[in-house]
Amino acid sequence: MKSRAAFVLAATLLSSAWAQDTTVPAVPTGTPIPGDYNGAYRPQVHFSPPQHFMNDPNGMFLDANGTYHLYYQYNPTANVAGNQHWGHATSRDLYHWINQPIAIFPPSNDSQIFSGSAVVDVNNTSGFFPGQDNGVVAIYTLNTPTAQVQEIAYSHDGGYSFTRYAQNPVINSTSTQFRDPKVIWYEDHWAMVVAYSQDFVIGIYTSPDLKTWTHASNFSHHGLLGLQYECPNLVKMPVQGSNDGMYVLTISVNPGAPLGGSITEYFPGTFNGTHFTAIDGAARIADFAKDNYAGQFFYGIPDGQDALSIAWASNWQYTQAVPTAQEGWRSAMSLPRRNFLANVTRIGWDLISLPYDLSPVLGPQLAARTDAANASVVVDYSAVASNALYFEANVTGAAGAGAAATLNFTALSPVSGESVRGGYFFAGDNAFFLDRGRTRGFDDPFFTDKFSTSLVLRPDGTWALSGVIDRSIVEVFVDRGAASATATFFATQPLTLFTLSSAGLPANASVSVAVYALESAWKSLANADGIVLGNVTTMAVKRDEL
């Protein structure tokens, strides 16, 4: 969650409108909130809210029925941050989302529900769920003008509606910079990581019942500091080539990222239930572009399977100014990612990040070539209704490539000449670049237009690239997910011509390319007028009932 200053201002501006209101939410109740997902900038395979402003993913979990729950920081009354609620959506495949009623509301006009997590209390450790094994407990920060405290709310219906715990807060505080709890189950107790934001400390707490918490240890002053720590995550994930897993602690930094604004760093290490120890002091960056922040891992993924994550695809430096507000919404989430650790040449431990199974939205194949070495593949996708595509390239025989050896892609608007592009150099510093600077729909001094990273070519001369271009967001996955980048872009005309080309590769090199249309995940949910309905509340919830 971002710093409190913006929310104090937003609360002041909105308080007069709420002064006579005796119910929460301050949004229509019992009435669908429509979402028009047809706008030129609306992503078609990324989640975005039906209307208004969204930021951090919150409380993500997989239930016993195979339904994924995504909560998110949500302002249901404006296209800027403030008036923070927990929005809610559910999915069976992580692409086709159903917008559910708002899940958690602030208890007063001058408070907000900030970021947090959710768990399934299978063994009823909390005592909230006699006779149930599917009770859900949300753990979140209540932000007020005087303090940030940690609260819980519980759900008897699987996470669709919540009741605030009568004896909140479960962790009290006099600090206004203490937030974003993430809770996991460790052997025989609950463990929480939470940020003392401007002290650059991640506190670790333990609890037997989610209600009584004991401070166990601190993890402090590691990696990039920026101006504050936020949104910590602790997750156990698989290690490539091993039967043993490893814990990863992620910390979101905002502001103060190397490219400006917000960024997420991560630390592989060990966790014994009370203490986290990083394997080293290196700051490892989760995404080398500028629109991937506050990522959270799903609770409830079976041990040994790839961890699953979703991040907020924006940056606090410009998120409240981007032009999607003209379509009535701001911000999307990243693609769902599957994650594991690998020991990569030269740099060591690396968080591998790849798109989760795209088959639910994968459309017709638009191009396929196995002879694309030192050649070009051109795809006109102007007839693709979603204006979204997936591409991949696999290279072999690149060992010993000279300085001229490259692979590049471009998505272009033939109408306006605007484009996004990227490419890799097989020699020298082995740099990969991503460039969104050739689009003209948004101008902001902080909207950095070019990004790059370096990845050593594998000794066997193989290399791979995949990516998704989805109206106003591009995500690329370099060398089988060893590096990834997320960047929003805003062209004045749709990009409809895709080109992937390679040049200067050795004579024995091979390049195979495939390009697919992506089907809109929202189209099937739209009504006869093309509108997707969401956030339908059935009753006004009195503050004294929360």
Side-chain angles (χ1 to χ4, degrees):
M1 194 64 236
K2 74 171 295 187
S3 62
R4 297 180 67 255
F7 296 97
V8 172
L9 174 61
T12 301
L13 294 174
L14 291 168
S15 62
S16 60
W18 294 348
Q20 305 303 315
D21 185 17
T22 60
T23 63
V24 175
V27 295
T29 59
T31 303
I33 296 176
D36 184 350
Y37 285 82
N38 297 302
Y41 292 141
R42 270 283 195 180
Q44 297 299 290
V45 299
H46 293 74
F47 178 79
S48 59
Q51 286 187 28
H52 302 311
F53 187 85
M54 176 186 74
N55 52 291
D56 309 353
N58 291 160
M60 303 192 308
F61 74 93
L62 172 64
D63 70 24
N65 298 318
T67 297
Y68 296 93
H69 292 253
L70 165 65
Y71 304 89
Y72 52 91
Q73 288 289 284
Y74 186 43
N75 181 354
T77 57
N79 289 323
V80 293
N83 187 21
Q84 298 301 106
H85 296 59
W86 269 27
H88 183 206
T90 57
S91 176
R92 300 286 290 185
D93 61 17
L94 294 173
Y95 293 99
H96 295 87
W97 292 97
I98 297 174
N99 290 317
Q100 301 291 347
I102 293 172
I104 304 178
F105 307 89
S108 62
N109 292 342
D110 64 351
S111 64
Q112 299 89 37
I113 305 297
F114 271 17
S115 289
S117 53
V119 298
V120 182
D121 189 8
V122 185
N123 297 316
N124 190 28
T125 63
S126 63
F128 294 140
F129 312 110
Q132 277 190 255
D133 61 6
N134 66 340
V136 177
V137 177
I139 310 96
Y140 57 87
T141 299
L142 181 70
N143 181 62
T144 72
T146 58
Q148 291 182 342
V149 299
Q150 313 318 311
E151 293 197 345
I152 61 175
Y154 54 93
S155 171
H156 289 104
D157 61 6
Y160 293 89
S161 62
F162 286 85
T163 301
R164 286 180 68 225
Y165 179 44
Q167 297 181 48
N168 276 329
V170 293
I171 305 180
N172 208 349
S173 168
T174 58
S175 171
T176 59
Q177 302 295 332
F178 176 51
R179 59 182 175 271
D180 308 337
K182 171 64 174 175
V183 172
I184 64 170
W185 178 257
Y186 183 87
E187 294 186 354
D188 61 356
H189 66 272
W190 301 101
M192 173 197 293
V193 288
V194 62
Y196 296 88
S197 293
Q198 295 181 5
D199 296 323
F200 305 107
V201 171
I202 302 301
I204 298 176
Y205 286 75
T206 62
S207 174
D209 59 8
L210 297 166
K211 298 182 289 190
T212 304
W213 291 91
T214 302
H215 179 262
S217 64
N218 288 329
F219 180 86
S220 66
H221 291 83
H222 276 68
L224 294 171
L225 300 183
L227 293 187
Q228 58 189 1
Y229 282 175
E230 295 188 315
C231 300
N233 264 234
L234 183 62
V235 62
K236 186 179 181 182
M237 64 176 61
V239 174
Q240 187 178 58
S242 171
N243 292 325
D244 297 324
M246 186 180 291
Y247 279 89
V248 172
L249 175 67
T250 67
I251 300 174
S252 293
V253 174
N254 173 69
L259 293 173
S262 39
I263 200 168
T264 300
E265 60 184 334
Y266 66 94
F267 303 90
T270 60
F271 181 62
N272 66 3
T274 58
H275 293 69
F276 177 82
T277 304
I279 58 169
D280 56 34
R284 294 169 170 85
I285 304 303
D287 190 282
F288 69 87
K290 203 166 176 176
D291 293 317
N292 189 292
Y293 188 65
Q296 189 169 111
F297 292 89
F298 278 90
Y299 181 86
I301 303 302
D303 194 36
Q305 292 188 15
D306 290 347
L308 300 182
S309 64
I310 290 177
W312 178 48
S314 195
N315 189 297
W316 279 115
Q317 282 194 319
Y318 45 76
T319 189
Q320 300 186 100
V322 295
T324 60
Q326 68 196 32
E327 297 177 3
W329 62 282
R330 274 201 176 115
S331 297
M333 294 301 182
S334 73
L335 290 171
R337 309 276 188 91
R338 59 183 185 89
N339 303 106
F340 57 91
L341 286 170
N343 205 332
V344 174
T345 302
R346 189 181 299 180
I347 63 173
W349 291 113
D350 186 54
L351 179 64
I352 305 300
S353 189
L354 288 164
Y356 184 72
D357 178 17
L358 281 160
S359 61
V361 290
L362 203 63
Q365 188 173 73
L366 305 177
R369 283 186 61 176
T370 58
D371 60 347
N374 301 319
S376 295
V377 177
V378 180
V379 178
D380 179 349
Y381 65 105
S382 58
V384 174
S386 68
N387 190 224
L389 59 77
Y390 167 77
F391 65 91
E392 60 184 27
N394 291 281
V395 179
T396 62
T406 60
L407 185 145
N408 298 278
F409 75 89
T410 302
L412 170 76
S413 167
V415 176
S416 66
E418 295 165 286
S419 66
V420 295
R421 60 180 185 148
Y424 182 68
F425 292 83
F426 288 90
D429 291 334
N430 298 119
F432 183 94
F433 75 91
L434 181 64
D435 179 7
R436 65 181 177 185
R438 298 185 175 195
T439 56
R440 300 190 298 271
F442 179 55
D443 182 34
D444 187 281
F446 300 111
F447 197 64
T448 312
D449 60 2
K450 296 176 180 65
F451 316 98
S452 66
T453 192
S454 290
L455 284 171
V456 175
L457 184 65
R458 296 170 187 256
D460 64 4
T462 63
W463 185 81
L465 172 67
S466 60
V468 167
I469 302 171
D470 187 9
R471 295 199 180 185
S472 62
I473 183 170
V474 55
E475 297 190 53
V476 292
F477 305 89
V478 186
D479 198 18
R480 305 174 184 91
S484 60
T486 309
T488 55
F489 63 90
F490 305 100
T492 63
Q493 296 292 327
L495 309 184
T496 60
L497 188 67
F498 179 80
T499 302
L500 191 147
S501 59
S502 63
L505 288 166
N508 64 332
S510 171
V511 178
S512 62
V513 175
V515 182
Y516 295 84
L518 291 172
E519 304 287 357
S520 171
W522 298 105
K523 185 176 180 180
S524 63
L525 301 174
N527 65 15
D529 297 320
I531 303 299
V532 175
L533 303 178
N535 290 342
V536 183
T537 57
T538 57
M539 66 180 70
V541 181
K542 301 293 184 181
R543 289 196 179 106
D544 60 5
E545 294 174 351
L546 288 173

PDB file of all heavy atoms in Angstrom, residues 139-150:
ATOM      1  N   ILE A 139      -6.666 -10.770   6.939  1.00  0.00           N
ATOM      2  CA  ILE A 139      -5.799 -10.024   7.847  1.00  0.00           C
ATOM      3  C   ILE A 139      -5.327  -8.789   7.078  1.00  0.00           C
ATOM      4  O   ILE A 139      -4.711  -8.914   6.025  1.00  0.00           O
ATOM      5  CB  ILE A 139      -4.591 -10.869   8.287  1.00  0.00           C
ATOM      6  CG1 ILE A 139      -5.041 -12.251   8.796  1.00  0.00           C
ATOM      7  CG2 ILE A 139      -3.787 -10.148   9.353  1.00  0.00           C
ATOM      8  CD1 ILE A 139      -4.976 -13.351   7.735  1.00  0.00           C
ATOM      9  N   TYR A 140      -5.614  -7.597   7.582  1.00  0.00           N
ATOM     10  CA  TYR A 140      -5.387  -6.380   6.811  1.00  0.00           C
ATOM     11  C   TYR A 140      -5.019  -5.235   7.736  1.00  0.00           C
ATOM     12  O   TYR A 140      -5.148  -5.317   8.969  1.00  0.00           O
ATOM     13  CB  TYR A 140      -6.642  -6.024   6.004  1.00  0.00           C
ATOM     14  CG  TYR A 140      -7.874  -5.865   6.872  1.00  0.00           C
ATOM     15  CD1 TYR A 140      -8.174  -4.646   7.475  1.00  0.00           C
ATOM     16  CD2 TYR A 140      -8.708  -6.953   7.128  1.00  0.00           C
ATOM     17  CE1 TYR A 140      -9.282  -4.515   8.310  1.00  0.00           C
ATOM     18  CE2 TYR A 140      -9.818  -6.835   7.954  1.00  0.00           C
ATOM     19  CZ  TYR A 140     -10.095  -5.607   8.535  1.00  0.00           C
ATOM     20  OH  TYR A 140     -11.181  -5.490   9.374  1.00  0.00           O
ATOM     21  N   THR A 141      -4.583  -4.141   7.138  1.00  0.00           N
ATOM     22  CA  THR A 141      -4.275  -2.925   7.884  1.00  0.00           C
ATOM     23  C   THR A 141      -5.469  -1.987   7.842  1.00  0.00           C
ATOM     24  O   THR A 141      -5.993  -1.681   6.760  1.00  0.00           O
ATOM     25  CB  THR A 141      -3.057  -2.217   7.288  1.00  0.00           C
ATOM     26  OG1 THR A 141      -1.920  -3.092   7.365  1.00  0.00           O
ATOM     27  CG2 THR A 141      -2.741  -0.918   8.035  1.00  0.00           C
ATOM     28  N   LEU A 142      -5.897  -1.532   9.026  1.00  0.00           N
ATOM     29  CA  LEU A 142      -6.873  -0.444   9.098  1.00  0.00           C
ATOM     30  C   LEU A 142      -6.086   0.855   9.223  1.00  0.00           C
ATOM     31  O   LEU A 142      -5.324   1.042  10.178  1.00  0.00           O
ATOM     32  CB  LEU A 142      -7.812  -0.604  10.283  1.00  0.00           C
ATOM     33  CG  LEU A 142      -8.874   0.506  10.388  1.00  0.00           C
ATOM     34  CD1 LEU A 142      -9.902   0.378   9.264  1.00  0.00           C
ATOM     35  CD2 LEU A 142      -9.555   0.498  11.746  1.00  0.00           C
ATOM     36  N   ASN A 143      -6.255   1.722   8.249  1.00  0.00           N
ATOM     37  CA  ASN A 143      -5.568   3.009   8.227  1.00  0.00           C
ATOM     38  C   ASN A 143      -6.500   4.092   8.758  1.00  0.00           C
ATOM     39  O   ASN A 143      -7.625   4.246   8.266  1.00  0.00           O
ATOM     40  CB  ASN A 143      -5.141   3.353   6.799  1.00  0.00           C
ATOM     41  CG  ASN A 143      -4.390   4.669   6.737  1.00  0.00           C
ATOM     42  OD1 ASN A 143      -3.331   4.798   7.328  1.00  0.00           O
ATOM     43  ND2 ASN A 143      -4.938   5.644   6.027  1.00  0.00           N
ATOM     44  N   THR A 144      -6.058   4.813   9.770  1.00  0.00           N
ATOM     45  CA  THR A 144      -6.822   5.935  10.321  1.00  0.00           C
ATOM     46  C   THR A 144      -5.913   7.154  10.386  1.00  0.00           C
ATOM     47  O   THR A 144      -4.688   7.042  10.189  1.00  0.00           O
ATOM     48  CB  THR A 144      -7.350   5.609  11.733  1.00  0.00           C
ATOM     49  OG1 THR A 144      -6.240   5.618  12.660  1.00  0.00           O
ATOM     50  CG2 THR A 144      -8.045   4.255  11.771  1.00  0.00           C
ATOM     51  N   PRO A 145      -6.442   8.324  10.694  1.00  0.00           N
ATOM     52  CA  PRO A 145      -5.585   9.512  10.770  1.00  0.00           C
ATOM     53  C   PRO A 145      -4.496   9.426  11.827  1.00  0.00           C
ATOM     54  O   PRO A 145      -3.487  10.133  11.730  1.00  0.00           O
ATOM     55  CB  PRO A 145      -6.577  10.636  11.087  1.00  0.00           C
ATOM     56  CG  PRO A 145      -7.874  10.160  10.536  1.00  0.00           C
ATOM     57  CD  PRO A 145      -7.871   8.686  10.772  1.00  0.00           C
ATOM     58  N   THR A 146      -4.648   8.566  12.818  1.00  0.00           N
ATOM     59  CA  THR A 146      -3.698   8.532  13.926  1.00  0.00           C
ATOM     60  C   THR A 146      -2.831   7.287  13.983  1.00  0.00           C
ATOM     61  O   THR A 146      -1.817   7.277  14.683  1.00  0.00           O
ATOM     62  CB  THR A 146      -4.448   8.662  15.270  1.00  0.00           C
ATOM     63  OG1 THR A 146      -5.414   7.596  15.368  1.00  0.00           O
ATOM     64  CG2 THR A 146      -5.163  10.002  15.357  1.00  0.00           C
ATOM     65  N   ALA A 147      -3.206   6.213  13.286  1.00  0.00           N
ATOM     66  CA  ALA A 147      -2.428   4.976  13.400  1.00  0.00           C
ATOM     67  C   ALA A 147      -2.790   4.008  12.284  1.00  0.00           C
ATOM     68  O   ALA A 147      -3.857   4.101  11.672  1.00  0.00           O
ATOM     69  CB  ALA A 147      -2.671   4.308  14.758  1.00  0.00           C
ATOM     70  N   GLN A 148      -1.866   3.073  12.063  1.00  0.00           N
ATOM     71  CA  GLN A 148      -2.133   1.906  11.234  1.00  0.00           C
ATOM     72  C   GLN A 148      -2.056   0.684  12.138  1.00  0.00           C
ATOM     73  O   GLN A 148      -1.032   0.448  12.793  1.00  0.00           O
ATOM     74  CB  GLN A 148      -1.124   1.795  10.089  1.00  0.00           C
ATOM     75  CG  GLN A 148      -1.284   2.888   9.046  1.00  0.00           C
ATOM     76  CD  GLN A 148      -0.325   2.756   7.875  1.00  0.00           C
ATOM     77  OE1 GLN A 148       0.682   2.068   7.947  1.00  0.00           O
ATOM     78  NE2 GLN A 148      -0.650   3.429   6.781  1.00  0.00           N
ATOM     79  N   VAL A 149      -3.156  -0.069  12.204  1.00  0.00           N
ATOM     80  CA  VAL A 149      -3.226  -1.247  13.066  1.00  0.00           C
ATOM     81  C   VAL A 149      -3.639  -2.442  12.224  1.00  0.00           C
ATOM     82  O   VAL A 149      -4.219  -2.290  11.143  1.00  0.00           O
ATOM     83  CB  VAL A 149      -4.222  -1.032  14.231  1.00  0.00           C
ATOM     84  CG1 VAL A 149      -3.783   0.135  15.103  1.00  0.00           C
ATOM     85  CG2 VAL A 149      -5.642  -0.806  13.709  1.00  0.00           C
ATOM     86  N   GLN A 150      -3.351  -3.648  12.752  1.00  0.00           N
ATOM     87  CA  GLN A 150      -3.671  -4.862  12.012  1.00  0.00           C
ATOM     88  C   GLN A 150      -4.963  -5.453  12.569  1.00  0.00           C
ATOM     89  O   GLN A 150      -5.099  -5.643  13.777  1.00  0.00           O
ATOM     90  CB  GLN A 150      -2.532  -5.862  12.114  1.00  0.00           C
ATOM     91  CG  GLN A 150      -1.141  -5.276  11.852  1.00  0.00           C
ATOM     92  CD  GLN A 150      -1.071  -4.312  10.686  1.00  0.00           C
ATOM     93  OE1 GLN A 150      -1.557  -4.618   9.593  1.00  0.00           O
ATOM     94  NE2 GLN A 150      -0.472  -3.151  10.890  1.00  0.00           N
TER      95      GLN A 150
END
